[in-house]
Amino acid sequence: QDKFVESGGGLVRPGGSLTLSCIASGFSFTTYGMAWYRQSPGKERELVAAVAKASGATNYADSVRGRFTISRDNDKKTVYLQMTSLKPEDSAMYYCNAGFKNPVHSWGQGTQVTVSS
């Protein structure tokens, strides 16, 4: 059973914006922090942003802080990643997962973000 369905990726020019969505299922959404990760070819998957389960506290990778915003809608079991001022180095496959610091479940299919002129 798919636990995460990511969407919203695409091709965008440098400086542009995208908002990613991740619909979660198959577990108690409100009992977990949620996070977005990304992976580029030849690189390890890295944590991009995380949001706590209750407090709404957030954490961001230094490379995206100030440009990306993570949020969650517990009623919709959905986590979002609003991305602005996109750079070519933001190009990657983006995934979401449960857990504030470490992934808890298996990965979904991800959504591809390509930043290019």
Side-chain angles (χ1 to χ4, degrees), residues 40-79:
S40 304
K43 295 186 177 180
E44 292 188 357
R45 192 163 357 216
E46 63 172 344
L47 178 66
V48 174
V51 58
K53 61 181 179 180
S55 67
T58 56
N59 185 42
Y60 296 93
D62 289 343
S63 59
V64 307
R65 187 173 290 112
R67 299 188 298 121
F68 290 11
T69 302
I70 188 171
S71 61
R72 63 189 295 162
D73 185 329
N74 288 338
D75 290 336
K76 295 182 178 179
K77 297 183 180 180
T78 299
V79 60

Side-chain angles (χ1 to χ4, degrees), residues 76-95:
K76 295 182 178 179
K77 297 183 180 180
T78 299
V79 60
Y80 303 96
L81 186 67
Q82 183 178 1
M83 307 184 295
T84 63
S85 302
L86 283 161
K87 305 175 181 180
E89 51 264 42
D90 294 318
S91 297
M93 188 70 79
Y94 283 71
Y95 303 86

